[in-house]
Amino acid sequence: MNLQNTDSKPYTPRVTLDRTFSIAPMLDWTDRHYRYFARLMSANTLLYTEMVTTGAIIYGSGDYLAYNEEEHPLALQLGGSNPKDLAHCAKLAADRGYDEVNINVGCPSDRVQNGRFGACLMGEPELVAESVDAMKQVADIPITVKTRIGIDEQDSYEFLTRFVDVVSDKGCTDFTIHARKAWLQGLSPKENREIPPLDYDRVYQLKRDYPHLNISINGGVTSLEQAKEHLQHVDGVMVGREAYHNPYILSQVDQLLCHSDKPQLSREEVIELMLPYIERHIQQGGRLNHVTRHMIGLFQGLPGSRSWRRYLSENAHKTGAGIEVVRGAIALMNENAPT
């Protein structure tokens, strides 16, 4: 399939995604096992991979684009700054069936900066725009950008709007804005998620000033009630750590945010649906804890949840561990829960 644009027709991606609610790309967390788990609870949530660098895809020995078909709708987040490499990876992603490719312009880590990508690219909007254009030329799926509201001392609203102006001029219509600026020096990635103050109003203003763009907000969202409030001002909400540590909030996304009449699964039903997946993973040479580490928070806040977490943590990593460990964790939790 030749995806190269050879005429002046407007770029039209082959898919239109519901961006009402999404889960942020999180390194070492949003792998394919977590995404399968999350998809059981919500059909509408847009899922993102962990950030994958263009170098890993092009030169690495593993298959960094592998995923389960059940994960759709699914976006690949890329880290890189070379337009040619980003375009190459975008085409690979489109050919593999991904529904979106997202460029990381938000990660503040030193390693990412040394590779000249992530949040530091906010200071090079022309390069981001060139990358978007190159990717769109070869991939007929949405090319989107996740960014911050600013970097270091460059944190004015004018700095943000100039970035959006330049990048959207090349046809990027979908931006996810982490409502904190990033300090590129002096703060760790963890501190950059917590110390710079949130400025939701700036993201709301961006949507008012750019009504033709799809603007999603990210940062500090810990409940679906908060998400509903944000959706009064922007098009979508991206949730990060809360969706990982308290994953059962996903079970109400479709009903509360996406107007679905799909019945909500109980936690026990989610576990039963995970068991065949876990068995397949083990039969293919995987280990139980590769999957169950993502399920630790399923009973967050409920009586007996500590027993569930402890039993899985102590037993799932053992050689030969199988689904009997999961059933044992449920039994222990029920045994220790107050009556």
Side-chain angles (χ1 to χ4, degrees), residues 42-108:
S42 171
N44 295 93
T45 296
L46 176 58
L47 301 176
Y48 283 79
T49 68
E50 306 166 86
M51 182 190 71
V52 185
T53 66
T54 55
I57 294 172
I58 297 171
Y59 304 109
S61 57
D63 182 2
Y64 291 91
L65 297 179
Y67 66 91
N68 305 290
E69 284 298 324
E70 294 87 350
E71 295 173 36
H72 291 292
L74 177 64
L76 169 70
Q77 190 187 60
L78 282 177
S81 60
N82 181 301
K84 181 179 178 182
D85 290 348
L86 285 164
H88 177 67
C89 292
K91 187 177 189 313
L92 291 176
D95 290 347
R96 289 287 289 271
Y98 277 87
D99 300 301
E100 172 190 315
V101 176
N102 178 266
I103 306 174
N104 184 315
V105 190
C107 182

Side-chain angles (χ1 to χ4, degrees), residues 11-318:
Y11 163 76
T12 304
R14 61 177 162 85
V15 291
T16 300
L17 298 177
D18 181 353
R19 304 179 186 282
T20 303
F21 190 87
S22 60
I23 299 177
M26 292 178 283
L27 190 62
D28 197 40
W29 287 4
T30 52
D31 65 12
R32 61 191 179 92
H33 304 310
Y34 172 77
R35 298 190 306 259
Y36 185 93
F37 174 51
R39 180 59 70 218
L40 292 177
M41 291 177 277
S42 171
N44 295 93
T45 296
L46 176 58
L47 301 176
Y48 283 79
T49 68
E50 306 166 86
M51 182 190 71
V52 185
T53 66
T54 55
I57 294 172
I58 297 171
Y59 304 109
S61 57
D63 182 2
Y64 291 91
L65 297 179
Y67 66 91
N68 305 290
E69 284 298 324
E70 294 87 350
E71 295 173 36
H72 291 292
L74 177 64
L76 169 70
Q77 190 187 60
L78 282 177
S81 60
N82 181 301
K84 181 179 178 182
D85 290 348
L86 285 164
H88 177 67
C89 292
K91 187 177 189 313
L92 291 176
D95 290 347
R96 289 287 289 271
Y98 277 87
D99 300 301
E100 172 190 315
V101 176
N102 178 266
I103 306 174
N104 184 315
V105 190
C107 182
S109 77
D110 292 340
R111 183 176 64 84
V112 165
Q113 291 180 61
N114 291 336
R116 199 189 170 202
F117 59 94
C120 63
L121 284 177
M122 279 203 81
E124 300 186 73
E126 290 81 8
L127 179 59
V128 178
E130 181 184 351
S131 299
V132 166
D133 189 47
M135 296 163 77
K136 286 174 52 200
Q137 294 300 316
V138 297
D140 60 348
I141 55 178
I143 306 301
T144 68
V145 168
K146 183 175 187 291
T147 189
R148 296 277 186 141
I149 58 173
I151 50 174
D152 297 332
E153 301 299 340
Q154 298 174 292
D155 61 353
S156 67
Y157 184 64
E158 290 71 26
F159 177 76
L160 175 61
T161 56
R162 181 177 184 276
F163 177 86
V164 171
D165 284 336
V166 173
V167 177
S168 64
D169 188 56
K170 290 298 184 180
C172 180
T173 59
D174 300 279
F175 292 82
T176 298
I177 311 294
H178 186 158
R180 287 185 174 95
K181 74 173 180 180
W183 283 106
L184 301 182
Q185 302 295 329
L187 293 183
S188 69
K190 180 179 185 297
E191 290 170 330
N192 261 299
R193 292 193 300 267
E194 299 169 350
I195 293 177
L198 287 160
D199 190 347
Y200 293 140
D201 288 338
R202 185 168 299 190
V203 185
Y204 298 165
Q205 184 64 50
L206 192 69
K207 177 59 188 178
R208 288 194 293 269
D209 292 342
Y210 296 82
H212 58 291
L213 298 180
N214 190 295
I215 303 295
S216 295
I217 198 166
N218 171 232
V221 181
T222 59
S223 71
L224 297 188
E225 289 71 25
Q226 292 174 10
K228 288 180 72 173
E229 173 58 31
H230 285 307
L231 289 170
Q232 302 299 312
H233 307 278
V234 293
D235 302 295
V237 176
M238 176 179 279
V239 175
R241 287 166 290 168
E242 188 67 19
Y244 190 86
H245 292 306
N246 184 22
Y248 195 62
I249 68 167
L250 301 176
S251 68
Q252 290 188 296
V253 166
D254 297 353
Q255 297 83 357
L256 294 183
L257 303 182
C258 301
H259 312 294
S260 171
D261 57 3
K262 170 180 173 284
Q264 179 185 3
L265 295 178
S266 70
R267 291 171 173 86
E268 291 75 15
E269 287 172 326
V270 173
I271 291 172
E272 288 300 318
L273 290 172
M274 281 299 295
L275 294 181
Y277 177 85
I278 292 172
E279 288 187 307
R280 289 195 301 272
H281 173 66
I282 293 173
Q283 290 167 2
Q284 294 165 1
R287 298 178 67 92
L288 176 65
N289 66 316
H290 294 165
V291 182
T292 56
R293 70 187 184 96
H294 302 301
M295 301 169 61
I296 293 289
L298 184 59
F299 293 91
Q300 174 95 348
L302 293 186
S305 61
R306 185 176 180 182
S307 298
W308 161 265
R309 293 194 304 270
R310 185 174 66 247
Y311 193 87
L312 285 184
S313 299
E314 292 176 352
N315 295 284
H317 69 281
K318 294 179 179 178

